[in-house]
Amino acid sequence: MSNPHTTGHGHAATGSVLRQPKAVWAVAFACVVSFMGIGLVDPILPALSSKLHATPSNVELLFTSYLVVTAVAMLVTGWVSSRIGGKRTLMAGLVLIVIFSALAGSSHSINEIIGFRAGWGLGNALFIATSLAVIVGAASGGFSGAIILYETALGVGIALGPLVGGLLGGISWRGPFFGVTVLMAISLTATFVFLDKTPKPPRKVGLTEPLRALRHRGLATVSLVALFYNWAFFTVLAYSPFPMNLGIHELGFVFTAWGVLVALFAVLVAPRLQARFGTARTQYVNFFLMALDLLAIAIWTDHKAVLITAVILSGAFIGLSNTLMTQAVMQVSPVDRSVASAAYGFVRFIGGGLAPYFASKLAAHYNSHVPFYVGAGALIVAIGVLASGHSLIAAADGGERSDAAGHPADEETAEETGEMISVGLAD
């Protein structure tokens, strides 16, 4: 892996992490807004169902269309960015987000919003696949300083998303969508003005490379683990607002607390546990505890205090998993990081996109407890899949990463590493 004390161009780390070019702050601000989108619509889901006369399963398609399109688009982001460069890819993503968030806010039916969220997902894929790579290339203070900035943006965005969504949603359900439009338009302008043109990567990525990369057992194993984990993750995030039966502001506060735990455990706790116990062992325990948490939600879905407490607590397990899974993919992958990131993002976002829709269908056909039982079961399956690749992940933890592409692990470019981390953290 690249030396953590150098940038992608080999320059020594210098200066304070906070002393960054304007271009870095512009992209970092866009990252905050992008990550806000993860929980921004959570507080308004029940309101959308009521005001637009939509069933919960229709409302859940807001997540499904967004994440499934993001998943499929991940397969082409490397192809695009390797031909037009990081800045143009970033700008294209921002433009799409601005356009489709504004259209979503102007919609008059749930089906219109679902369609526009799909376009939003395409922009999101282009943005998250290149944002950290651009920060790494432009930041002072070295690679580690860029990571700190990016993780800070992640934490602030995840924590603020539900709060902003609740505050703006309390005025109108259209508020969160137009809020993203305004903030992303500011980000787009700042990025255009302050970010210099980025060079094109030295190698053009083929369209089929991400899918072919999944032939590698280690990458396929970790990607499948992420699929089942994300099924549980998005069951909690996207479906739990319905049985809570809270107002928009109250939902905003609940998921803000959830987001704070996601950020704290992703940035501060996960690296320490991974260094002490290893990725696999830490994740076995984490998945098991998260399964117990979802089991509690499933049993006491009708007890509001237990439901709210367990949902907030799930943020700790989700924060740990986001970082640990990213670390595992970075270590076990035998191909270029940009290719691995696309393959991994494709598989995991599919799980995250399908889970909310099927959760609402299960609740309608059976009861509101069943989706969480299924989510807990998905985590047990994830443990089993992870165990099947334990030796590969343990070897990668020990620095024994294979490189079928023929490139030593310490010669990876900053852009490839940046894309890998951004895909993992942005979920």
Side-chain angles (χ1 to χ4, degrees):
M1 187 178 296
S2 303
N3 187 334
H5 301 293
T6 62
T7 69
H9 302 289
H11 302 303
T14 57
S16 168
V17 170
L18 296 178
R19 295 179 181 176
Q20 299 293 343
K22 292 179 180 178
V24 173
W25 291 117
V27 178
F29 177 75
C31 288
V32 170
V33 181
S34 176
F35 294 131
M36 283 171 57
I38 295 174
L40 193 75
V41 299
D42 254 37
I44 63 171
L45 291 177
L48 284 174
S49 180
S50 173
K51 294 182 181 299
L52 297 180
H53 308 291
T55 64
S57 60
N58 285 337
V59 172
E60 295 295 70
L61 286 173
L62 294 178
F63 282 94
T64 300
S65 64
Y66 175 74
L67 290 172
V68 170
V69 169
T70 297
V72 175
M74 289 304 305
L75 297 177
V76 302
T77 53
W79 185 90
V80 173
S81 64
S82 67
R83 285 162 174 77
I84 68 175
K87 179 176 180 177
R88 290 179 179 177
T89 305
L90 199 69
M91 297 282 291
L94 290 170
V95 167
L96 289 174
I97 294 173
V98 169
I99 292 173
F100 285 105
S101 60
L103 289 172
S106 304
S107 299
H108 298 286
S109 71
I110 194 65
N111 288 332
E112 289 181 0
I113 301 176
I114 291 168
F116 295 137
R117 281 280 285 181
W120 189 341
L122 174 59
N124 183 61
L126 293 171
F127 177 80
I128 66 173
T130 52
S131 56
L132 180 58
V134 171
I135 288 178
V136 168
S140 61
F143 183 83
S144 60
I147 298 301
I148 291 172
L149 283 175
Y150 189 82
E151 290 183 340
T152 301
L154 164 74
V156 172
I158 286 181
L160 286 181
L163 180 61
V164 173
L167 293 175
L168 294 179
I171 300 172
S172 168
W173 66 262
R174 302 179 188 272
F177 297 115
F178 287 133
V180 169
T181 302
V182 172
L183 293 173
M184 276 304 195
I186 295 172
S187 301
L188 174 63
T189 304
T191 301
F192 176 77
V193 172
F194 296 120
L195 182 63
D196 293 332
K197 182 179 179 180
T198 56
K200 295 180 182 178
R203 185 181 73 86
K204 292 183 178 180
V205 176
L207 277 174
T208 61
E209 285 189 52
L211 291 176
R212 286 190 280 115
L214 288 171
R215 295 174 182 174
H216 180 260
R217 184 187 170 196
L219 179 58
T221 299
V222 176
S223 298
L224 280 175
V225 171
L227 185 151
F228 290 110
Y229 152 66
N230 273 268
W231 191 285
F233 171 5
F234 280 92
T235 296
V236 173
L237 178 64
Y239 182 71
S240 65
F242 288 98
M244 281 186 196
N245 196 28
L246 296 174
I248 292 176
H249 290 120
E250 289 81 4
L251 280 172
F253 292 133
V254 167
F255 281 96
T256 297
W258 170 88
V260 168
L261 286 184
V262 171
L264 290 177
F265 276 76
V267 177
L268 300 178
V269 181
R272 291 173 171 80
L273 292 178
Q274 193 275 340
R276 181 168 183 179
F277 301 108
T279 301
R281 287 195 294 171
T282 304
Q283 199 65 297
Y284 291 142
V285 175
N286 188 52
F287 281 157
F288 181 71
L289 292 177
M290 186 174 173
L292 292 180
D293 186 65
L294 262 74
L295 187 61
I297 295 175
I299 295 172
W300 292 290
T301 308
D302 300 326
H303 293 73
K304 190 175 294 188
V306 176
L307 173 61
I308 291 172
T309 302
V311 167
I312 293 174
L313 181 61
S314 72
F317 308 122
I318 289 168
L320 283 173
S321 286
N322 284 349
T323 298
L324 290 170
M325 294 307 299
T326 301
Q327 184 71 15
V329 176
M330 289 177 66
Q331 292 173 333
V332 80
S333 171
V335 297
D336 289 347
R337 302 306 193 191
S338 58
V339 175
S341 71
Y344 175 68
F346 168 69
V347 176
R348 75 178 303 186
F349 285 139
I350 288 293
L354 295 180
Y357 178 75
F358 280 100
S360 61
K361 287 295 187 183
L362 288 170
H365 192 269
Y366 298 103
N367 56 61
S368 60
H369 303 261
V370 173
F372 302 107
Y373 281 117
V374 173
L379 289 165
I380 300 303
V381 174
I383 292 174
V385 176
L386 183 62
S388 72
H390 180 92
S391 60
L392 290 170
I393 296 170
D397 269 346
E400 300 172 14
R401 175 183 179 270
S402 64
D403 200 325
H407 304 291
D410 59 355
E411 293 180 1
E412 295 153 357
T413 65
E415 180 164 358
E416 290 171 343
T417 305
E419 289 182 1
M420 183 69 257
I421 296 174
S422 67
V423 169
L425 295 180
D427 195 30

